[in-house]
Amino acid sequence: MLRLFRGNLRRYSTVTGPNIVKTVSELRKWRIEQLKQSRTVGLVPTMGALHQGHLNLVSQSLRENDVTVVSIFVNPSQFAPTEDLNTYPRTLDKDLEKLSQISNPESDLTVFLPSVQEMYPSGITLDVNEQTGAFVEVKGLSNQLEGAIRPQFFRGVATVVTKLFNVVTPERAYFGQKDAQQSVVVKRLARDLLLPTEVVVAPTAREPSGLAMSSRNDYLSPEVRQKAGIFYEALSAAHKLYKDRNAETPRNDILDAVYATLNPLTKPNDDFSIEIEYIALSDKHSLKEVDSVEPGSGAILSGAIKVPNKNGGKTRIIDNIFFD
């Protein structure tokens, strides 16, 4: 069922769309009503600036649950003081319009728009050493790969996901494969904290160039978005090498296939050049580096590169391919 927008967003009062909830107490009251009616709840956590990948997750949740909650919250605890919290894309009007377009009469859609004070009642600063209050860490999965580049990131993710799971208590929560390490961390979080939520990981949505969809792609010019598809091309070349062999493949052979595509673009070039931060081949459960991959054993080939953005700086792109 579609409902009228409520609360302080009065300019939307004449159009139909998702139910909007802005406080934890209101959402908990709403959740009690769903329990009374034995309705299953799906959760899609987002930081807004919604793209097709987010919408795919929402559509899947709408199909698989009686009601769906989409949270839109730019989580400060996963940003370092030097990162882009203040400039992170915020497009609430467009986000709500997109969500209205994919709603359907058979599934209620609620948007949770909490303030920072709602989510961090003890306050929050970006300097981890100055933070006070309760935070969540998933040991053993948070310090490698993306965690080595952004050491505060998964502490912030684990904390905000725990808060959202506690408030929404969803039967299922939906995440994208693009953030592969995040999915592994959240699955371990739910398992180890005995949270009754199934973590569902959906395939990465891609632009026509192959570039993984991301809210930060808005930082890139159309030309760079097209050329940045080379990252997925490089990962795919390594995956093809492994599939063609159909046998145990050494780690170095797989990584060499990636670098063979990317290395020529690391040279300074006024047209387009990249910076490689890391390329890794990891176990899909422990995230430990593996020496080789055998058919059926499973691994994640992942990495991060930097590409030129519209402001004359660099924007990080992450991507991965699962080896089965």
Side-chain angles (χ1 to χ4, degrees):
M1 171 191 310
L2 298 181
R3 302 181 182 179
L4 295 179
F5 287 102
R6 301 184 300 169
N8 294 329
L9 301 179
R10 292 178 182 175
R11 62 185 180 279
Y12 294 107
S13 61
T14 61
V15 295
T16 58
N19 178 41
I20 291 179
V21 175
K22 301 181 73 174
T23 68
V24 170
S25 61
E26 186 181 2
L27 187 61
R28 283 182 166 148
K29 291 178 183 177
W30 172 89
R31 185 62 176 98
I32 290 172
E33 291 305 311
Q34 312 315 308
L35 286 172
K36 289 179 179 178
Q37 299 176 53
S38 299
R39 304 178 83 188
T40 59
V41 176
L43 168 67
V44 182
T46 84
M47 294 207 301
L50 303 183
H51 52 69
Q52 190 59 48
H54 294 118
L55 300 181
N56 290 348
L57 297 178
V58 176
S59 295
Q60 182 174 349
S61 180
L62 289 171
R63 291 193 304 270
E64 297 177 355
N65 302 280
D66 296 319
V67 293
T68 290
V69 175
V70 178
S71 63
I72 298 179
F73 178 68
V74 181
N75 176 36
S77 69
Q78 65 194 61
F79 289 79
T82 57
E83 293 180 341
D84 60 340
L85 174 61
N86 292 331
T87 59
Y88 190 85
R90 291 166 170 84
T91 58
L92 180 58
D93 291 5
K94 292 181 180 179
D95 293 343
L96 295 175
E97 181 179 352
K98 290 176 181 178
L99 291 173
S100 296
Q101 291 173 352
I102 66 170
S103 300
N104 62 70
E106 287 73 36
S107 295
D108 279 347
L109 179 61
T110 289
V111 181
F112 182 38
L113 298 175
S115 66
V116 173
Q117 180 60 39
E118 280 289 316
M119 296 300 286
Y120 292 93
S122 295
I124 185 69
T125 176
L126 300 190
D127 187 339
V128 171
N129 296 320
E130 296 180 2
Q131 290 174 353
T132 60
F135 294 85
V136 180
E137 292 185 86
V138 179
K139 299 290 189 180
L141 298 176
S142 301
N143 297 323
Q144 61 271 69
L145 305 175
E146 282 297 290
I149 304 294
R150 306 178 67 192
Q152 81 297 330
F153 179 70
F154 288 111
R155 180 175 182 265
V157 168
T159 297
V160 77
V161 167
T162 301
K163 290 171 182 279
L164 289 170
F165 282 14
N166 280 339
V167 174
V168 181
T169 60
E171 276 78 13
R172 302 174 188 87
Y174 296 80
F175 297 82
Q177 183 182 307
K178 177 183 76 70
D179 302 295
Q181 184 175 5
Q182 174 177 277
S183 298
V184 174
V185 168
V186 172
K187 282 187 174 183
R188 183 69 63 85
L189 168 74
R191 189 191 76 176
D192 287 1
L193 295 185
L194 310 181
L195 302 177
T197 297
E198 176 189 357
V199 177
V200 180
V201 181
T204 302
R206 299 188 179 278
E207 299 189 4
S209 68
L211 175 65
M213 289 187 178
S214 168
S215 299
R216 287 188 172 95
N217 288 357
D218 287 347
Y219 296 157
L220 310 179
S221 69
E223 294 78 14
V224 170
R225 289 172 85 139
Q226 178 65 34
K227 293 175 180 178
I230 192 69
F231 191 19
Y232 182 58
E233 182 180 325
L235 298 175
S236 297
H239 187 249
K240 184 177 185 302
L241 170 71
Y242 162 73
K243 296 295 285 186
D244 287 348
R245 287 188 181 179
N246 194 30
E248 182 176 4
T249 305
R251 172 181 180 274
N252 287 342
D253 289 0
I254 292 172
L255 298 188
D256 286 348
V258 179
Y259 285 115
T261 302
L262 295 182
N263 277 342
L265 296 173
T266 60
K267 301 174 182 178
N269 189 308
D270 291 337
D271 184 33
F272 178 74
S273 62
I274 67 171
E275 175 186 334
I276 302 174
E277 285 198 329
Y278 71 89
I279 305 294
L281 186 66
S282 313
D283 180 87
K284 65 180 181 180
H285 299 296
S286 70
L287 299 180
K288 293 180 179 179
E289 289 283 323
V290 297
D291 295 327
S292 64
V293 185
E294 296 182 9
S297 63
I300 306 171
L301 177 64
S302 63
I305 65 173
K306 289 184 176 181
V307 300
N309 62 36
K310 292 185 287 191
N311 298 321
K314 297 280 189 178
T315 292
R316 298 182 75 246
I317 294 174
I318 65 171
D319 207 344
N320 63 81
I321 286 183
F322 276 59
F323 284 41
D324 49 25

